[in-house]
Amino acid sequence: MYYIGLDIHKKTISYCIKDVSGQVQREGTIPATRTDLDSWMKTLPKPWTAAMEASIFTGWVYDHLVPQAAQVKVAHPVMLRAIAAAKKKNDRIDAGKIADCLRCDFLPECHMVSTEIRDRRRTLRYRHLLVRQMVQMKNRVSGLLLETGVSHNKQRLHKVKYFRELLATNKEVDESIRPLLKLSRESIERLQKTDYALVSSLERDPLLAQRLKNLRTVPGVGPITALTWALEIGDVSRFHSVKQAVSYCGLCGDEKRVQQINCCGHRSPNSATSIFSVFWWKPPSWHRSRVTNSPWCTRRPSRKETRIAQPLRWLERW
């Protein structure tokens, strides 16, 4: 078996090929294109396995190598940096370090979801970008009215009918901001239509339809929460226990710190989710006894905390 470490960049890919004994068989750099990868793979000794660090370029390289390789692994960048830290650092050395980690079975491997899920996840994350832009445009509309001293109803400002009446009847609206307000409103409406189209396409997708239907049966879970869970988590069978899922979602904190913070959240902005990650899988009788006897816990989890953990509770049933 030959072990290949890849250091992938925007325009080039540095590689290092080592055998079982750790001897360097070949190393160099190739352009980061599919055509050059195909030509390079034809020259490789077989069988071979490859490893690379997770980055924005990893997805397409991983998909391109999988059919030809015995195995392709992706390393967690932060954990890999801790293992393979060195004073001297360049692309050639990085590729060699990755090859050594792969050869010695020290590679901190991270999970790679299927190509189908990654494609749909990309759509959902693009939708998040549109939502952020929409919020920026709404804030800009409010800012223009506040800058010029125009009185308006804050709660109804972004309603279509009210916005038209505001421009038509309010004499405080200066002529200098009317084109900007109209342009901003058109951008908001266009972003809203695109957002609706993207979400609808994901909801109708046959790959996600049944899973979204199951997730929507959880009280408080809407279409966006269900899509986020299904696409960001991927296959739930990769979690061997509920605790792993809690940890992956960031709902648990350091155990020593959790015992010291107050349930009301005065000492930590994430204390609500951190504390509740300790409680959510326990029966109600356990909660009552814990709240009564605990020196630091003064109340039961709130409704908000319950809604946070409900999808994880359903993970047990699946």
Side-chain angles (χ1 to χ4, degrees):
M1 179 67 71
Y2 293 91
Y3 302 90
I4 304 176
L6 300 175
D7 190 35
I8 306 172
H9 296 279
K10 180 180 178 180
K11 297 182 179 180
T12 61
I13 300 176
S14 298
Y15 67 90
C16 179
I17 306 174
K18 294 189 177 184
D19 57 19
V20 179
S21 63
Q23 294 295 322
V24 177
Q25 301 296 313
R26 196 196 315 167
E27 57 185 358
T29 303
I30 59 173
T33 63
R34 288 181 171 84
T35 304
D36 290 289
L37 270 178
D38 288 333
S39 303
W40 173 72
M41 283 190 289
K42 292 178 182 178
T43 65
L44 295 178
K46 295 183 179 180
W48 57 274
T49 178
M52 66 196 79
E53 185 179 358
S55 67
I56 190 175
F57 315 109
T58 300
W60 73 267
V61 177
Y62 177 88
D63 294 336
H64 203 71
L65 296 180
V66 163
Q68 304 295 331
Q71 191 176 16
V72 180
K73 295 184 177 182
V74 179
H76 192 290
V78 177
M79 298 176 67
L80 182 65
R81 195 174 301 121
I83 294 174
K87 292 184 178 179
K88 293 183 178 180
K89 190 176 186 304
N90 55 46
D91 298 343
R92 181 179 59 82
I93 294 176
D94 288 348
K97 293 279 188 181
I98 295 174
D100 282 330
C101 290
L102 178 63
R103 181 178 60 88
C104 300
D105 199 20
F106 287 155
L107 192 77
E109 187 176 0
C110 62
H111 177 72
M112 279 293 287
V113 298
S114 63
T115 306
E116 294 79 10
I117 293 295
R118 275 188 276 127
D119 292 341
R120 289 156 178 80
R121 180 192 291 175
R122 190 179 301 116
T123 302
L124 181 64
R125 291 179 178 179
Y126 186 79
R127 180 257 171 193
H128 292 166
L129 171 65
L130 297 182
V131 172
R132 289 196 298 269
Q133 292 178 344
M134 191 190 314
V135 172
Q136 289 177 353
M137 295 306 297
K138 288 182 178 181
N139 291 339
R140 191 57 197 151
V141 169
S142 301
L144 289 171
L145 296 177
L146 292 173
E147 286 177 9
T148 54
V150 178
S151 58
H152 61 279
N153 188 329
K154 182 180 178 181
Q155 284 71 29
R156 300 176 58 197
L157 176 60
H158 302 298
K159 303 293 183 181
V160 177
K161 183 177 179 181
Y162 177 79
F163 189 81
R164 290 175 180 173
E165 292 177 355
L166 181 69
L167 293 182
T169 60
N170 196 325
K171 298 181 180 179
E172 296 179 354
V173 179
D174 192 85
E175 291 297 329
S176 62
I177 66 170
R178 284 182 181 273
L180 299 178
L181 291 174
K182 292 179 180 179
L183 181 61
S184 300
R185 184 62 207 176
E186 291 174 359
S187 300
I188 293 171
E189 292 177 355
R190 184 169 58 253
L191 290 169
Q192 287 175 338
K193 292 178 181 179
T194 309
D195 174 24
Y196 177 79
L198 292 177
V199 174
S200 299
S201 66
L202 290 174
E203 288 181 318
R204 293 192 301 266
D205 195 301
L207 183 67
L208 302 173
Q210 185 58 44
R211 190 174 184 190
L212 295 178
K213 183 179 178 181
N214 294 339
L215 285 167
R216 293 289 297 275
T217 61
V218 181
V221 174
I224 304 303
T225 304
L227 282 170
T228 303
W229 176 269
L231 294 177
E232 296 295 343
I233 297 299
D235 185 10
V236 295
S237 63
R238 64 192 177 99
F239 298 113
H240 301 296
S241 66
V242 176
K243 290 185 178 180
Q244 285 188 357
V246 171
S247 177
Y248 183 85
C249 295
L251 295 178
C252 64
D254 182 60
E255 292 183 0
K256 295 182 180 179
R257 188 180 178 188
V258 167
Q259 295 179 359
Q260 296 171 357
I261 60 178
N262 192 303
C263 273
C264 297
H266 297 308
R267 293 180 60 184
S268 172
N270 297 323
S271 59
T273 54
S274 299
I275 283 289
F276 194 66
S277 66
V278 181
F279 292 157
W280 72 270
W281 63 81
K282 302 296 183 182
S285 59
W286 188 93
H287 290 306
R288 287 192 291 271
S289 63
R290 192 68 174 179
V291 169
T292 304
N293 302 327
S294 173
W296 74 86
C297 187
T298 59
R299 64 170 177 84
R300 293 181 65 183
S302 65
R303 291 183 179 180
K304 180 179 180 181
E305 295 166 351
T306 305
R307 287 197 300 270
I308 292 172
Q310 276 175 341
L312 294 178
R313 187 186 294 274
W314 278 69
L315 182 62
E316 285 183 310
R317 305 180 185 180
W318 295 345

